Amino acid sequence: MSPEAAAALQQTRFSTVDGVIVAIYLALSLVIGVFVRRYARDMTAYIGADRKIGTWLGVATMLGTEMGLVTVMYSAQKGFTGGFAAFHIALIAGIATLIIGATGFIVAPLRRAEVLTIPEYYEKRFSRRVRVLGGCILAFGGILNMGLFLKVGSQFIVGITGLSAEGWALPTVMVGLLLLVVVYTALGGMISVILTDYVQFVILSFGLLIATGMAISRLGWDHIFETTQAVLGDAGFNPVAEESGFGWSYVLWMFVTAGLVGCAVWPTAVSRALAMESEKAVKRQYMISSISFTIRFMIPYFWGICALVFITASPEGADLKHLFFPPEGSGVEAVDNLYALPIFLGRLLPPVAIGIITAAMIAAFMSTHDSYFLCWSSVITQDVVAPLRGKRGLSEAARIKLTRLIIFALGAYVLYWGLFYRGKDDIWDYMAVTGAIYFNGAIAVLIGGIYWKGASRAGAMAALIAGCSAVFGLGPVQQAVGLQTWNPESEEWVQKLTGAEVGLLSVGLALASMVIFSFLMPDKNESAPTAAAAIN
Amino acid sequence: MDWTFFWKLMLIVMLGLFALMAIAGTIFGAFDIRRLMAHLRNPDENTDRE
């Protein structure tokens, strides 16, 4: 990074008062984790909060979990590059969640089955082997998926507080935040996750509204839309326009990822449904959460758009324009556009407000990390290690201890990935592809298992394996197998199939595998883990 | 289709709904926490509403 860019990054209004606000919030989270530790007496309490979560607490924790700082960052990046056209993802997410809430599709039968994890359902419906395979794939895809969270989140903190983007600041922030989350999650499990999520919901909700109001007031409502039109043209509004960078296959892929999967198949969202006090509460939770599932994308997109307007068409951001958009042929490398949002907020917000927003964003960071740590670690304990021990089993105390150890191991992995990963992927697309390794198979197994009596164990195993084909959407894998070819003239990789197209094909393959293998190899022992009727 | 108008309308409506949700979630979520903590302190007592 050039000295000029580094100097621009350090211009922020973040003050000592803001630092104190952030410190108080962090201390509060740690105190909650220590305080509720005594209630985590068994696995149902530790990973399911005794299934006693009321509707509004469920709504709060859903927003806390699903709106992570990484969501804010990658969504702002999408808004910065795609303009209002990116809003279609928010719209799809909201409509899908509303439909899931109204119908209870997938989530209501899962809650009725009284399972703690999705792979546990696989065993109830199919067999232990399906559970172990599903647990392994879920943990692999999920852990890979959260690899970028820590680094991207820390980039925000560094950007908004004006710390140096290079040198000691970024790793120090990463280690500090990570230690805090790992400790309170390992101590209190789901109970501390739920309580901290509530605090995070309050700070996050009002923080989002305050910052949005200030951005509109500072830049001007009409000016935001006019500048987007001037910079991005019609493609900045129409998601199916050719130059928008989205298109029909992308929109369709978003129906799967941001829509169906985001609320009804993704394990951290489903774990909230499984912790609710009743099936009725699950449906209410989803109906109300359709607002937050829209907002979690829409507000960060809007902030990204505001950052674009600030940098390209406002006097205060004039010094940034040539850093983010260097003239062609100048040989100057553009500053990573992930920094656009934190720099914009750092210059927009006054002291105290900037402290509250930073605390809100750290809240978003921690609420996602804690849920992910708990979710993947409990899946490894409950659905891989415990079933593999067979009749010897695992005591409740041993399970809690093992889950805590895995949480610390995941923390170490995330830190390693954050410190050494040097990829240049579009973050949202990276996450969609890595997540798809798990959810493409899970869609087929859950829908088939719940709604089709003919779904068999062989069909479920085949669907889970077929879903792993989503890995071919990742850039390095595509290059290795020839799905991307190097063009020496333009000096860039040319895709034969986009990540979205690979994802859609992979979903189709998983669904087809479920149907074909269930017909070819139906279950013979009907008395064993049984049919949809048992759950419906 | 007028995309600009559509996204403007969506932004205004969703911000309004979200503000209402934030207020309701803060108030009623606190009541839910009280009930959850009561249950965790005395898990054998029935604290269900439904």
Side-chain angles (χ1 to χ4, degrees), chain A residues 16-82:
Chain A
T16 311
V17 180
D18 300 304
V20 171
I21 292 171
V22 172
I24 290 171
Y25 168 70
L26 294 177
L28 184 66
S29 298
L30 193 60
V31 167
I32 290 172
V34 175
F35 174 69
V36 302
R37 186 185 176 202
R38 62 186 130 156
Y39 299 123
R41 59 189 179 281
D42 56 30
M43 279 305 270
T44 310
Y46 187 69
I47 67 174
D50 264 356
R51 297 194 184 98
K52 289 292 174 188
I53 309 298
T55 302
W56 283 101
L57 192 52
V59 168
T61 190
M62 191 72 102
L63 177 72
T65 303
E66 299 308 318
M67 185 157 189
L69 183 46
V70 71
T71 317
V72 173
M73 288 290 272
Y74 68 62
S75 299
Q77 187 184 42
K78 272 276 180 237
F80 189 81
T81 55

Side-chain angles (χ1 to χ4, degrees), chain A residues 54-387:
Chain A
T55 302
W56 283 101
L57 192 52
V59 168
T61 190
M62 191 72 102
L63 177 72
T65 303
E66 299 308 318
M67 185 157 189
L69 183 46
V70 71
T71 317
V72 173
M73 288 290 272
Y74 68 62
S75 299
Q77 187 184 42
K78 272 276 180 237
F80 189 81
T81 55
F84 287 93
F87 270 30
H88 76 275
I89 303 172
L91 184 63
I92 288 169
I95 291 172
T97 312
L98 192 64
I99 292 171
I100 300 287
T103 61
F105 185 62
I106 297 178
V107 291
L110 279 180
R111 174 62 186 83
R112 215 177 304 152
E114 296 207 333
V115 292
L116 285 172
T117 64
I118 290 175
E120 190 183 339
Y121 166 76
Y122 293 167
E123 180 171 356
K124 270 197 166 182
R125 173 64 178 84
F126 297 105
S127 70
R128 182 160 289 188
R129 280 185 183 180
V130 177
R131 177 182 189 170
V132 173
L133 178 67
C136 288
I137 293 173
L138 191 161
F140 174 71
I143 291 167
L144 200 62
N145 184 264
M146 74 179 298
L148 288 178
F149 286 16
L150 180 63
K151 186 178 181 184
V152 174
S154 302
Q155 278 182 297
F156 178 91
I157 310 293
V158 163
I160 199 165
T161 55
L163 293 167
S164 167
E166 289 167 355
W168 59 269
L170 192 61
T172 307
V173 170
M174 282 162 59
V175 172
L177 287 177
L178 191 64
L179 267 178
L180 188 71
V181 178
V182 165
V183 168
Y184 83 67
T185 309
L187 287 178
M190 183 62 102
I191 304 164
S192 70
V193 168
I194 294 283
L195 295 186
T196 49
D197 274 1
Y198 172 75
V199 178
Q200 288 152 6
F201 166 82
V202 176
I203 298 174
L204 191 57
S205 303
F206 292 102
L208 288 171
L209 289 165
I210 291 168
T212 305
M214 284 183 166
I216 294 171
S217 148
R218 179 79 168 267
L219 296 171
W221 177 254
D222 290 332
H223 181 59
I224 294 169
F225 287 87
E226 286 160 9
T227 306
T228 307
Q229 179 71 47
V231 175
L232 298 173
D234 287 341
F237 295 88
N238 182 354
V240 290
E242 251 181 56
E243 314 80 32
S244 68
F246 299 112
W248 282 111
S249 66
Y250 193 91
V251 173
L252 204 57
W253 180 227
M254 287 306 105
F255 267 104
V256 177
T257 53
L260 175 67
V261 170
C263 62
V265 181
W266 194 242
T268 50
V270 173
S271 69
R272 294 300 180 278
L274 301 180
M276 295 298 285
E277 60 188 357
S278 67
E279 197 184 320
K280 201 174 158 188
V282 172
K283 288 187 175 181
R284 271 203 306 259
Q285 175 199 31
Y286 270 77
M287 296 275 276
I288 300 168
S289 290
S290 63
I291 299 169
S292 53
F293 268 82
T294 311
I295 284 291
R296 76 169 175 140
F297 289 123
M298 202 179 72
I299 288 186
Y301 291 151
F302 186 65
W303 286 1
I305 294 164
C306 289
L308 178 72
V309 173
F310 181 78
I311 289 167
T312 57
S314 85
E316 299 99 320
D319 61 313
L320 298 168
K321 190 173 179 181
H322 69 283
L323 297 174
F324 283 95
F325 303 100
E328 272 186 42
S330 64
V332 177
E333 195 179 341
V335 172
D336 186 350
N337 57 18
L338 273 174
Y339 281 111
L341 174 68
I343 292 174
F344 163 63
L345 290 178
R347 293 190 182 192
L348 169 84
L349 302 169
V352 179
I354 202 171
I356 294 169
I357 298 300
T358 307
M361 291 299 106
I362 292 176
F365 173 92
M366 297 203 309
S367 58
T368 304
H369 270 79
D370 57 21
S371 300
Y372 276 58
F373 281 143
L374 188 65
C375 189
W376 311 140
S377 59
S378 57
V379 163
I380 294 170
T381 302
Q382 294 283 86
D383 304 312
V384 180
V385 178

Side-chain angles (χ1 to χ4, degrees), chain A residues 356-482:
Chain A
I356 294 169
I357 298 300
T358 307
M361 291 299 106
I362 292 176
F365 173 92
M366 297 203 309
S367 58
T368 304
H369 270 79
D370 57 21
S371 300
Y372 276 58
F373 281 143
L374 188 65
C375 189
W376 311 140
S377 59
S378 57
V379 163
I380 294 170
T381 302
Q382 294 283 86
D383 304 312
V384 180
V385 178
L388 285 176
R389 281 180 65 88
K391 288 178 184 170
R392 285 174 297 162
L394 264 183
S395 68
E396 290 285 307
R399 288 179 191 225
I400 293 177
K401 194 173 175 184
L402 179 62
T403 307
R404 284 181 169 145
L405 282 174
I406 297 169
I407 288 172
F408 279 102
L410 290 178
Y413 151 78
V414 169
L415 182 62
Y416 170 82
W417 194 266
L419 287 174
F420 299 108
Y421 179 76
R422 292 287 176 268
K424 295 193 174 182
D425 320 69
D426 178 305
I427 299 166
W428 168 236
D429 295 333
Y430 166 86
M431 288 176 63
V433 171
T434 50
I437 294 168
Y438 149 71
F439 66 67
N440 280 353
I443 290 171
V445 178
L446 286 172
I447 294 176
I450 293 170
Y451 298 104
W452 182 35
K453 287 185 181 178
S456 75
R457 292 164 206 156
M461 297 286 267
L464 287 171
I465 293 165
C468 294
S469 59
V471 77
F472 292 109
L474 279 177
V477 180
Q478 287 201 330
Q479 289 163 12
V481 298

